[in-house]
Amino acid sequence: MTFTFTKATKKAAKARIALEGPSGSGKTYTALITARALGQRIAVIDTEHRSASLYADEFDFDTLELDSYDPQLLTSALAAAAKAGYDVIVVDSLSHFWMGTDGMLEQVDRAAKRSAGGNTFGGWKEMRPTERRMIEAMLAYPGHLIATLRTKTEWVVEENDRGKKVPKKIGLKAEQREGLEYEFTLVGTLDLDNTLVVTKSRCKALSSAVIHRPDASFGQTLGDWLQDGEAGPTAEEIRDEVLATPDATYDELIDVYRKAERHGLLMAAIITNTGDEMSLGDFVKSRGLEAKARAARAADEQVPA
């Protein structure tokens, strides 16, 4: 195998934001005000019993309300949102797809019971690919994505500014898979005073920032930084490129597949021309197999009797 290094260039990108915090910390409101700063058309995947709709008088957005949190549903919902062309998608909250009804933990338990040994290891082995597809679909979404995450809470006793000891509820670890924060461009933790502490940021201007009641300037700062660079194709653009050349050869489709791979879009969830949901990589592969079969038929027809 030959390895070729090329000069690194900054690419324009889309936001991948995780907002963690306990109930009442303002995660949904902060997600919406940030979304409005990042784009025009906003959609919310609502697992919080229509809580986002309480702000419909202040923000203009569409909503999809779910009461089952199978990770495959989120993958399909992201594909539908991409087809509809939403600039920003808010997943409120992502934690439900981990610990809610039909979420990862329940799915692993069911898979473990189906496995021969009946152990949890077998359940995780079966379900990890499904979880990975969900995460890849979030990362490859063609617009900005903001996910809220619930945190476990506990009460502690702290001294207030008057020297009096008072109880205070604080957020602890996010209710989600260990290490998920590495997948996001920016991770922030909100407390019950609606103060956002940025714990991870690839944007220097927001690194380690502490922001009381974040407003539109938070999203604008991140958006300006993300736009500074060369724009790449979206999964939908590559899908349309394939659909526009129905007679493409196998080698031509291999080139398209490699382009999608370079831009990290192989696992992007798309809606095909037949209305099916699948990954971009699988879609291009299927077209490649069709092209190979066409070429084989054409070669057979040219063989003299």
Side-chain angles (χ1 to χ4, degrees), residues 183-194:
E183 310 287 0
F184 290 91
T185 310
L186 183 144
V187 180
T189 300
L190 286 152
D191 63 18
L192 291 173
D193 294 324
N194 197 212

Side-chain angles (χ1 to χ4, degrees), residues 161-176:
D161 54 1
R162 290 176 296 194
K164 184 178 179 180
K165 292 187 180 297
V166 294
K168 182 178 181 180
K169 186 166 72 170
I170 61 170
L172 301 175
K173 184 177 178 293
E175 293 182 326
Q176 190 50 256

Side-chain angles (χ1 to χ4, degrees), residues 168-215:
K168 182 178 181 180
K169 186 166 72 170
I170 61 170
L172 301 175
K173 184 177 178 293
E175 293 182 326
Q176 190 50 256
R177 177 175 66 82
E178 188 76 31
L180 183 69
E181 65 274 11
Y182 296 117
E183 310 287 0
F184 290 91
T185 310
L186 183 144
V187 180
T189 300
L190 286 152
D191 63 18
L192 291 173
D193 294 324
N194 197 212
T195 297
L196 175 68
V197 178
V198 177
T199 57
K200 173 200 170 179
S201 175
R202 294 192 174 105
C203 171
K204 286 185 179 180
L206 293 173
S207 182
S208 301
V210 178
I211 307 167
H212 183 58
R213 295 185 178 177
D215 57 20

Side-chain angles (χ1 to χ4, degrees), residues 57-77:
D57 59 338
E58 188 172 347
F59 300 97
D60 181 17
F61 61 93
D62 295 336
T63 182
L64 172 66
E65 296 163 357
L66 298 178
D67 53 16
S68 173
Y69 314 116
D70 185 330
Q72 295 180 76
L73 285 178
L74 180 55
T75 300
S76 298

Side-chain angles (χ1 to χ4, degrees), residues 13 15 37-38 144 206 217-228:
L38 291 171
H144 302 287
L206 293 173
S217 62
F218 168 67
Q220 289 165 355
T221 299
L222 182 59
D224 291 344
W225 176 76
L226 290 165
Q227 290 173 13
D228 181 20

Side-chain angles (χ1 to χ4, degrees), residues 13-19 27-46 59-64 74 77-78 80-92 137-138 141-148 218-220 222-223 226-227:
K14 300 297 183 181
R16 300 291 180 260
I17 301 171
L19 299 174
K27 297 187 296 297
T28 302
Y29 188 88
T30 302
L32 288 170
I33 201 168
T34 303
R36 188 167 63 184
L38 291 171
Q40 295 294 317
R41 297 191 65 226
I42 301 167
V44 176
I45 298 174
D46 189 347
F59 300 97
D60 181 17
F61 61 93
D62 295 336
T63 182
L64 172 66
L74 180 55
L78 290 169
K83 182 181 180 182
Y86 288 105
D87 300 324
V88 190
I89 190 84
V90 177
V91 183
D92 186 35
M138 289 194 298
Y141 184 73
H144 302 287
L145 182 140
I146 304 170
T148 67
F218 168 67
Q220 289 165 355
L222 182 59
L226 290 165
Q227 290 173 13

Side-chain angles (χ1 to χ4, degrees), residues 257-292:
Y257 185 89
R258 288 172 177 161
K259 178 168 73 171
E261 185 177 35
R262 286 196 304 273
H263 292 280
L265 296 173
L266 290 179
M267 293 299 293
I270 61 166
I271 302 295
T272 70
N273 56 312
T274 58
D276 298 319
E277 179 267 312
M278 64 193 309
S279 72
L280 177 63
D282 286 344
F283 175 66
V284 179
K285 279 183 182 178
S286 68
R287 287 302 181 109
L289 293 175
E290 291 173 7
K292 185 178 283 189

